[in-house]
Amino acid sequence: MKKATHKICWIIGLIAYSICSCSKYLDIKPDSSFSVPSNLQDLQGLLDNSEVVMNFVTTGLGEMASDSYYLNETSWAGMTNESDRLLYLWQPYSPIASQWTGPYRAILQANTVLEYLPSIKIAASEVQKANSLKGAALFYRAHQLFNLLQVFSFPYDPSGDNEQLGVVLRTEPSLDEEISRSSVKKCYDFIISDLKQSVKLLPNKMDIPTRPSKVAAYAELARIYLVMSDFETSGRYVDSALMIQSDLLNYNTEIIPGASLPFAKWGKEVIFDVNMNGGIALAPSRRRVSASEYDNYTPADIRKKAFFSVNNLGEVLFKGNYNGLNSSQLFCGTTTSEMYLIRSEVNIRRNRLLEAAEDINLLRSKRFAAEDFVPTEFSSQNQALEFIKNERKRELLFRGQRWTDIRRYTVLGEPSGAMIRTAGGKIYTMTPSDIVNYIYKLPNEVVDNGSLTQN
Amino acid sequence: MKFFLICFTMILFCIRSYGQTKPDIMLEDVLVFKIIGYESKKYKISQATQKPITIKLKKRVFEVDEVQINTGYQKLDRRATTGSVEAISQRDIQYGTSGNLLDRIDGLFSGGYTDRRAYDFNGASQQPNLTIRGESSLIGETFPLIIVDNFPFEGTLDNINPDDIENITVLKDAAASSIWGARAGNGVLVITTKKGKLNQPLAVSVSSNLMISQKPELFSEQIPSSSDFIDMETFLFEKGFYNTQINDRKKPVLTPVIQLLTRHRDKELGDAELEEQLALLRGRDVRNDYLDYVYRNAVESNSSIGLRGGGDKVSYSFSLGYSKNAFSLPTNQQDRITTRFSQTYRPISKFSVAVDLSLSRIAGAMYNISNMVGYDQIKINNKRLYPYAQLKDAMGNNTILYTDYDKSFIDQNQELVARDWRFVPLDEVERTGRKSERQQIIAGLDLGYEIVPGIRIAVQSQLNHAMTESSSMYEEDSYFTRKLYNSFTAIENGKTTYGIPEGGIMDKGNSKLWGYSLRTQLDINRQFATDHLLQGVVGVEAREINNRSLSHRMYGVYNDRNSFSLVDYANTYPLFPAIGGRTYIANGLGRAGTVNRYVSIYSNMNYSIRNRYFLSASARNDASNIFGVKTRNKWSPLWSVGGAWEISKEEFYNLAVMNYLKVRTSFGYSGNVDASIPAELVLQQADYLDFYTNQSFTNIVSLQNPSLRWEKVQTINLALDWKMFKSRLDFTFDYYRKKSFDLIGFTLIDPTLGVSTATMNSAELKGDGVDFSIGSNFTSGRWSWNGVLRTGYNITVLEKYNGRILTVTNQAMNAGYFVGKDRNMLTSFRWDGLTVEEGAPKGFENGVSSTNYLNILRDTPLDNLVYHGSSLPRTVASFRNRIRYRNVELAFTISGQFAYFFRKNSINYSSFFSNWDGHSDVSIRWKNTGDEQHTDVPAMYYPINTNRETFYSLSEVLVRPGDHIRLQDIRFSYSFPSRPQHKIRSLEVFLLGTNLGLIWTKNKEGIDPVYNGAITPSLSLTGGFKIEF
């Protein structure tokens, strides 16, 4: 019996031992694709989640409200969601949630990078990479917020206090952060501070244009200061951007204008590749370009051939997407050509017409055959302004800039004409004063499941 | 390797010992005579012994409850159990013939519900969902834990041959299932395979059967007729709906009707001609073509042979099974070979070694979905097939169907591309598709040693290894390959280049599962005094399961040459037609890997006094490698207690009519764990590259949630077992209350956080229910009747919900979270008929009749919904009868599901117009004023208002009671009288019919609530025999 007791003790000892050793046994990851962010590669992966999260979620609501396109009666009726049909008519309706949640998903991933970066041990050889990750995260956050402001908040007024409701500034990837809307002023301060920090951290250029770079941050700042009507600063950032990247695509030799999709992604003009969530209204089978828009190009303008095709009903279709996709995911990133346009406008507004014409002619010389190209001369500031506005329309069609431009001009007291849409036999008009007062409602889901103030 | 050596020695040993059947008898030896069913008798050899000797054995008077139950850790007499356990006998398992285990046990225990709503008529092997005593988890696993020969089974249930099963024990309450701890919250099925017994002569059993099923019941689906479909197209054509498509540069497919209408509009076709052509199309139904030219009768055959026996030290069993399934789609088939070997060696009475080895191989061939052979697999620009299509034309030639581009486009571009761009459905019938092969080996070794009398130490181990290999071949001339080849055609400056090489395409996938379990336990079985018996186990266990998979694609494959070609995955290629843009060539690369580890310490004790008072207690602590939780929180302690009293054993008990009476009760906890839900911010590497940039990337799987806990299920069980009329009637009644708390659910969170749901412990469920069964066993002369009614009632209520409630529409649509109501509460919007003017549905807004659908869908208060009841049957019943006259037996099973509701499918104009997914209700729709008196189906209209469609589909008017009774099967069998002189112990031949349809349904339209207007399973007939010698 004693022997047996001895045996039992021995077994119990063995059992006890095996339990003690199991804490390590249980530390193995249940799924080898899982990781707690612990190295730069993990974080880079978050920002490289381009197609679904980071580079394809910029809100397209601005483009959808603008006059760059129209829908014919059957296309309009063919949109099965009543809210899509009503939004097209500028009725106060809540848009699809992804227009808001998409950008905030990107911001969440950016904030994750910012949150975990300091805790990662970085080797000396990786310092540059770590900096560039931080810069990229700041850049994405700023980019998304800036675009949200253009559709969910009243425009920035250079002479006002800008205390109107902006968007939500998020800084942590946690579930506990308090969520509320900041003022437009605070938002712009936040965005600019993010971008200025990112300038210091990012390398000049990136191999893949979907990754933010210093030139992308300069270009984004140039855009933002233009919207804020701080022309001098905007111009300075254009200079900085063009110092790094200034190549223009020569439409004479470098593209086939007649091709059904003349532009491949990542052409040499592209500074930063980001694309909008165009919704079903901007689907290629639905969107049409108005005659006045089409007539804005002279027949010799290669863009007329490269950007458009005409179907057998005589309707004009847009095919000039800079990302090579035939989809509603329209390219809305920055390009060198936009930089020249901004610098030209900034110079016009500062009454430096010669310099302005120089940039315009450089750009236009790449858009016309040598024999067709006639250099532009500016005789007065007003004529120059009129010209640059039309040139922006021509060059930046379907690039997500139109809506912001229309609002900006109205704020500056230079209203463009009223916009008109027809559907169901009725005509809907949006006058310049309507334009600055038109902002989208926040998506219902966002208000229902959160605590935000509805527009 | 060592393991196989041991196996081999065992086999040798077994053969040797089998030969020694003739005993050498000496004086003073004691012979023991044993036959099952008789009392054993000892006989001492003495000088006086006469040769030959005659021994008469007394027929044994059966104890009422002889059934042994196996919890997977220990074997107990059923009468000594305190928990809710049911045993499924071999006889019941052998009743059916399906190769699938779940089909065989359907309805064989009370409280189980088999959900067969997901039925695939193309005949892939189906795994219906099984729940025991209602759901106890929201998003976690609700399927019971399956134990095969003492260890949890990993892999697909298809690898188990039901003919190898000796018996199945179903553990339903906490006293029973807490033995299995943190994975037992959904109940446990403990499967014991057939084993040999000591001192048993070799027994051989052979069985074989063949099942033939009718072709798929395509016409049971409620879809619009060709005529209604054409009316829809004509209606939309007049509204200009197709203009976008007609002018679309992507050239989507235009149906023959739209082409006719276009030609008529363009004055190329006269009115009469149009009508004539349309009339022709109205008369067609493509389902006839599918039945004539594509589908066949499904045939399934199962055969198995089993050998069992044992000497005085060794027992063994061996079985081999083969089944072949030829599914209703031609060339779709599956073969299964299973073999199982087990042997126990007991050299001395204190020590035993047992080995188990099972091998299975499943080989299947299935069409690739992209071959588009099946009736529901053809997609026309991602829409369903239009009903007036044809597979063969009047001349008997296979017809062309346009599925991706319109005919005009193909005709125009065919010359520019190298491959035939036309899709001929019947040509694809000849294609090889996806071949797969799965092999699984499970090997077990058990060692037992009795240290002191009544205390045994056992070491049990199991190795599990499964490999699956699949390859989908797209031959060079298959439509898939031709289409892809054409798409990657680039024409620049008159020069044509091709992005992908000539030859076929092959998708390869491999996956591997391997794991082990190791368990050390003490078995206690000691008698104290005379009347006290302690039976119990104490032990520790560790388990690990690994899953790995890898997939890739090869281009330029020629099977006869083993050749393949390299493809440039790194650059984009233009798509033809050029409006398609540029894209990467798909590489099909993917890899994944998971590891699950579990550690447990457990004990379970049963104490019985005077064989009539029974007590049980169990305690268990489990841990797993759940991600991101501190070791301390990984553990989940669970326990249970129970008691039972066999009153009929008491001296004071003298109720003769009720010859057995037992009360029992139990209380305890079991759990549920899902290690795949992490508790902190976790990234997941995507298993493919980003489609736009071709870079690898990560996703956020979960945000920080440090308070994540294991789900727990608490069960109280009160039960009464009794038998009447000398055990001719056998009753079991269980009442239970099951509380599941800390349930993990998707909780809606503020979408501005960047995610809209988070996984949190957020809910509590409370289930109340009753399991009840009556068995009858009457014999009168040559007649006998054996019937068992098993029924369960369960109501599971969402007791608490901490997450955010969804919007009213989402709540109604998804049977959301209605606190205080059924977990699966079916709700609807109030219905106010159709409008007189337009036939549009009317609902209520603030109590007033309204057609403002958006407001109804958004602003209806939750209280104003109509609450119908559970959408899962609260009551499930099954009644199996066996009536025997001499050697002839007629048996049938009736099953029913009661006390629940379902939403009848009806016409949704949005999906009808856009996806061609309609419903036959369209024929009884509102057409003119006055129709609203006799129909509730809204008028056809355009433009579509999705809110109106959503309102109608969620309205009160479509809800029906789901109660129904089904004739599950009829079985006729004949058993030949046993003939010992021919060494045949038994021989049975049988015929079995299954899927016999509904007997009664409560809804007036006669809709089968399980399939709800979709294709129902076909009648099948099986014949077979079983012989034992």
Side-chain angles (χ1 to χ4, degrees), chain A residues 4 11 15 25-26 30-33 35 45-46 49 51 81 85 100 105 170 260-261 265 273 312-313 326, chain B residues 247 452 457 516 540 578-579 581 593-595 597 634 683-685 690 692 698-699 752-753 755 804 944 946:
Chain A
I11 290 157
I15 291 170
Y25 181 80
L26 294 175
D31 188 323
S32 53
S33 63
S35 64
L46 274 178
N49 193 339
E51 206 240 358
N81 269 323
R85 294 199 296 268
W100 177 274
R105 173 75 189 190
R170 300 212 56 217
S260 15
L261 284 169
K265 73 175 174 199
D273 181 1
N312 48 11
L313 295 177
N326 179 33
Chain B
N247 296 308
V452 290
I457 178 162
Y516 61 82
V540 291
I579 43 170
T594 60
V595 187
R597 284 182 175 169
K634 287 179 175 175
L683 306 183
Q684 182 171 30
Q685 184 74 42
D690 185 85
Y692 188 68
T698 51
N699 263 309
T752 307
L753 291 162
V755 284
R804 218 180 274 270
I944 280 290
T946 36

Side-chain angles (χ1 to χ4, degrees), chain A residues 336-375:
Chain A
T336 50
S337 67
E338 185 182 346
M339 291 301 108
Y340 287 109
L341 285 168
I342 293 177
R343 193 162 68 183
S344 181
E345 177 176 348
V346 163
N347 282 330
I348 292 168
R349 291 192 182 275
R350 301 172 71 204
N351 213 1
R352 293 148 77 166
L353 300 182
L354 274 180
E355 286 99 322
E358 202 177 301
D359 281 332
I360 277 294
N361 285 325
L362 175 65
L363 171 62
R364 283 171 63 88
S365 68
K366 311 283 185 193
R367 302 296 187 250
F368 288 84
E371 60 273 23
D372 295 330
F373 177 66
V374 184

Side-chain angles (χ1 to χ4, degrees), chain B residues 653-677:
Chain B
Y653 187 87
N654 54 8
L655 206 61
V657 64
M658 197 184 275
N659 58 315
Y660 175 84
L661 177 65
K662 178 180 158 190
V663 288
R664 56 189 160 81
T665 178
S666 72
F667 173 81
Y669 293 89
S670 47
N672 241 333
V673 63
D674 186 350
S676 68
I677 301 170

Side-chain angles (χ1 to χ4, degrees), chain B residues 107 202 205 271 330 393 467 579 607 688 701 861 892 947 975 990 1027:
Chain B
L202 174 70
S205 69
D271 289 353
D393 62 19
M467 297 218 337
I579 43 170
Y607 193 77
Y688 58 92
V701 192
F892 61 91
N947 292 329
S975 316
F990 66 90
I1027 182 165

Side-chain angles (χ1 to χ4, degrees), chain A residues 208 279 314:
Chain A
I208 305 169

Side-chain angles (χ1 to χ4, degrees), chain A residues 21-28, chain B residues 516 542-544 597-599:
Chain A
S21 60
C22 74
S23 71
K24 250 196 191 140
Y25 181 80
L26 294 175
D27 283 343
I28 193 166
Chain B
Y516 61 82
R543 283 164 38 71
E544 175 174 333
R597 284 182 175 169
Y598 303 92
V599 180

